Amino acid sequence: MGGDRDEELLRGRVYGQDHDDPRPGPRAGRVYAELVGGPLDGLLLDVTDWTGERIRAGAVLETELGSFGPGGKAVYGPRTGDPARFDWTGDTR
């Protein structure tokens, strides 16, 4: 698959759900943060059981789409004043 197609498939999906899941979108009763920027842009991150402290700490998420390819991780942190959006801050190994 080309890069554009990969990005298209990720839109509206929840991070960590299987790409073949027949219901890849958000589920009722769950709380999500939108990932903004970086390799996981547009995905939703399930933060339902996260404490306020955990949300403030952000997330380091495995992805093959980042700067480091397989084994790499994308770093996201909550947007100031809008914890429903996590902004990308960079990639790491």
Side-chain angles (χ1 to χ4, degrees), residues 39-51:
L40 303 175
D41 184 53
L43 286 178
L44 300 174
L45 179 64
D46 188 338
V47 295
T48 302
D49 298 323
W50 292 27
T51 64

Side-chain angles (χ1 to χ4, degrees), residues 20-74:
D20 290 332
D21 189 328
R23 293 184 51 219
R27 306 224 166 130
R30 309 297 295 175
V31 177
Y32 299 92
E34 179 184 0
L35 301 176
V36 180
L40 303 175
D41 184 53
L43 286 178
L44 300 174
L45 179 64
D46 188 338
V47 295
T48 302
D49 298 323
W50 292 27
T51 64
E53 183 176 325
R54 175 69 182 96
I55 288 173
R56 286 187 296 278
V60 179
L61 306 170
E62 293 182 14
T63 180
E64 296 181 1
L65 302 175
S67 301
F68 298 101
K73 296 175 178 72

Side-chain angles (χ1 to χ4, degrees), residues 5-17:
R5 179 69 177 139
D6 290 346
E7 289 180 18
E8 180 185 327
L9 290 173
L10 293 175
R11 303 273 176 224
R13 301 183 84 80
V14 176
Y15 174 82
Q17 282 186 318

